[in-house]
Amino acid sequence: MKFKILIIPIIIALIILYSAAYVVDETEQVVITQFGEAIGEPKTEPGLYFKIPMIQQANYFPKNLLEWDGDPGQVPTLDKTFIWVDTFARWKIVDPLKFFETVNNVVGALARLDDIIDPAVRNFITSYPLIETVRMTNRELDTFEVGLGQVGEPRHLAQVLLGRRQIIKGILEQARPKLQEFGIDIVDVKIKRLNYVEQVQKSVFQRMIAERKQIAEKFRSEGKGEARKIEGNQEKDLKRITSEAYREAQEIMGKADGEAALIYAQAYGKDPSFYSFIKTLSIYKETMDKNSSLILSTDTDFLKYFKSYRPKETRGTETNPLNEDQRD
């Protein structure tokens, strides 16, 4: 019975002890409040701590880096170019007591970050030309496009006087003092994405398409010119080969005609009647065929060899005019 009476106070004491103790780990920091008001110093070191149960309350805040993602928005640059800007930042709570007294929680802190970082980003981007936000230095780009420099006037990038790195630095310097009032330290701001707005994109794409069509047309015209040049050279070579072949053929024919004339002359010297016979047969071949019809007088010399023709069975008994000529 006495044991049962003692166990009840022990349980009550354990409950009070459990509700009075709280643990802070490496990623947390705690502000103790009493009736809604902060008391004492924040607990930023990990360990086991105690508070008055039921009266005091432990408010936990993250100690590691937190993320802020800005809303993408349309921003005009100094050279009147509208671009779509999307930024993000990393921040942390450096003074949990001030953080609790001003914004109270992370959701309230994100709202303050929206109110401070977004205007700073807009302010710096609108104060400089587009090239300053896009590039960091004036280093020469190692990209090229075939034929682009041959179409129209060459375009050169503007000189970078400040650069994106300095713009980011300016945004940080402008936002950091304002956020310190809320116990917040902004660690870094980055531009996640830059892009033209839809209307500017269309005009840029149309200009790029027109330039590339012009380049393609230039290459086509150069190809056609090269084709005409090749065809001209081919035709010239063909004419040269044909003329050389014709010349060689004429030389061969002339040489053959000369040799034939020489043979005919030699044959005529040995037997004039044989030469006359050969030439007459050549004339027969050139002037008559199976469809030819000739009307000649009986005393013409054109068919004298046909006149002297005798049938095979009478050749031995009658005198052949050709033989008589040869005897003469």
Side-chain angles (χ1 to χ4, degrees), residues 37 43 46 78 108 120 182 262 296 300 322:
E37 293 185 2
K43 306 299 187 292
L78 185 63
F182 306 102
L262 179 61
L296 301 171
T300 181
L322 180 58

Side-chain angles (χ1 to χ4, degrees), residues 21-272:
Y22 64 95
V23 177
V24 180
D25 66 20
E26 292 84 356
T27 63
E28 295 175 329
Q29 46 193 343
V30 174
V31 173
I32 301 299
T33 58
Q34 182 172 316
F35 303 115
E37 293 185 2
I39 59 172
E41 294 295 327
K43 306 299 187 292
T44 58
E45 296 298 327
L48 177 64
Y49 297 90
F50 295 94
K51 60 182 176 62
I52 301 174
M54 307 299 293
I55 297 176
Q56 295 179 344
Q57 183 179 357
N59 299 273
Y60 290 84
F61 300 104
K63 192 165 62 174
N64 51 0
L65 288 178
L66 303 175
E67 178 182 353
W68 172 84
D69 193 2
D71 293 329
Q74 179 178 322
V75 181
T77 62
L78 185 63
D79 47 4
K80 308 302 180 184
T81 303
F82 285 87
I83 59 175
W84 197 261
V85 182
D86 189 5
T87 56
F88 71 94
R90 295 293 180 266
W91 60 283
K92 62 181 180 179
I93 302 171
V94 294
D95 190 342
L97 183 58
K98 187 182 294 186
F99 181 84
F100 174 78
E101 292 174 346
T102 53
V103 297
N104 190 261
N105 52 45
V106 173
V107 176
L110 291 175
R112 293 293 184 270
L113 289 168
D114 290 339
D115 296 338
I116 294 173
I117 299 179
D118 276 338
V121 171
R122 179 178 293 272
N123 181 38
F124 272 86
I125 289 180
T126 55
S127 300
Y128 297 95
L130 176 62
I131 191 68
E132 301 289 347
T133 307
V134 173
R135 303 197 66 191
M136 294 186 181
T137 63
N138 288 309
R139 70 175 181 84
E140 185 176 354
L141 299 178
D142 55 358
T143 59
F144 71 94
E145 188 168 351
V146 176
L148 188 59
Q150 303 175 9
V151 178
E153 297 181 357
R155 297 191 302 271
H156 300 284
L157 293 175
Q159 291 294 314
V160 177
L161 303 178
L162 189 66
R164 182 191 291 191
R165 186 178 291 109
Q166 294 301 319
I167 289 178
I168 295 300
K169 183 179 179 181
I171 294 172
L172 283 172
E173 291 176 353
Q174 180 174 328
R176 183 170 284 132
K178 297 178 181 179
L179 291 172
Q180 287 177 352
E181 299 175 1
F182 306 102
I184 297 173
D185 180 35
I186 181 168
V187 178
D188 196 10
V189 176
K190 294 294 182 183
I191 297 177
K192 185 191 303 182
R193 182 171 64 96
L194 287 175
N195 204 350
Y196 290 115
V197 297
E198 185 176 357
Q199 294 82 359
V200 180
Q201 279 185 9
K202 289 181 179 179
S203 63
V204 171
F205 292 158
Q206 289 174 356
R207 185 181 67 185
M208 293 172 64
I209 291 171
E211 287 178 348
R212 279 142 190 84
K213 284 183 177 179
Q214 191 174 355
I215 293 170
E217 187 62 30
K218 179 178 180 296
F219 286 158
R220 290 192 191 99
S221 62
E222 289 178 353
K224 290 179 181 179
E226 191 67 23
R228 299 291 182 273
K229 181 179 178 181
I230 294 172
E231 291 174 355
N233 292 335
Q234 185 179 11
E235 186 176 356
K236 182 176 67 175
D237 293 340
L238 180 60
K239 290 182 178 180
R240 178 180 57 80
I241 293 171
T242 304
S243 63
E244 290 178 356
Y246 178 77
R247 178 178 56 79
E248 292 179 1
Q250 292 299 316
E251 290 177 355
I252 294 171
M253 291 175 62
K255 185 178 180 181
D257 289 342
E259 293 178 355
L262 179 61
I263 294 172
Y264 286 145
Q266 292 174 355
Y268 181 78
K270 292 181 179 180
D271 189 352

Side-chain angles (χ1 to χ4, degrees), residues 310-322:
R310 295 292 182 271
K312 188 174 183 180
E313 58 275 7
T314 61
R315 290 182 183 175
T317 59
E318 297 182 2
T319 304
N320 190 332
L322 180 58

